[in-house]
Amino acid sequence: MRVMGGQSSASASAPARLLPWTGTGGRPCYLVGSGTGYVARRADEVEEIQLDMAYELLGHAEGLLAGTDATAPQLHFLASRLSESLEQVQRIAESRGSRLEAALAEARPHLNSDTSP
């Protein structure tokens, strides 16, 4: 298993996983390998934390925007945090979508072989 910054190089057994953090200069990091080791488990934990924080932030935004007394600095801070959170959630969605596509592609030959004459 390797963690890489920059572009991914897929292994024969599994596609590279986009990790929920970035490397030097904001470049994406990927995990190449089985996806069952320490780094994969840590990535799962970080994704869960990021998603929980996004839900909490949405609740805070709802409360702040429900009133009419929010100040410009409060709204700026909220917008900044929402932007950061959306970026994290987008990275999670991209990572999970890629892994789902790979799993479906792997399953298709098995499904097609069962239905062939």
Side-chain angles (χ1 to χ4, degrees), residues 15-17 44 47 92 94-104:
R17 174 184 177 174
D44 291 341
E47 285 180 355
I92 293 168
E94 182 180 339
S95 177
R96 292 182 179 183
S98 295
R99 288 184 281 151
L100 179 59
E101 285 178 14
L104 290 173

Side-chain angles (χ1 to χ4, degrees), residues 6-82:
Q7 296 185 356
S8 67
S9 69
S11 69
S13 62
R17 174 184 177 174
L18 177 63
L19 294 171
W21 52 79
T22 59
T24 306
R27 293 183 2 196
C29 290
Y30 295 88
L31 172 64
V32 178
S34 67
T36 59
Y38 172 78
V39 174
R41 288 190 306 275
R42 184 69 180 132
D44 291 341
E45 292 169 2
V46 169
E47 285 180 355
E48 188 65 32
I49 291 167
Q50 290 173 334
L51 291 172
D52 287 345
M53 289 173 57
Y55 283 115
E56 288 179 25
L57 184 57
L58 284 173
H60 178 69
E62 185 178 303
L64 184 65
L65 297 174
T68 58
D69 57 345
T71 66
Q74 288 174 320
L75 293 173
H76 182 267
F77 183 80
L78 175 63
S80 296
R81 300 299 76 80
L82 285 169

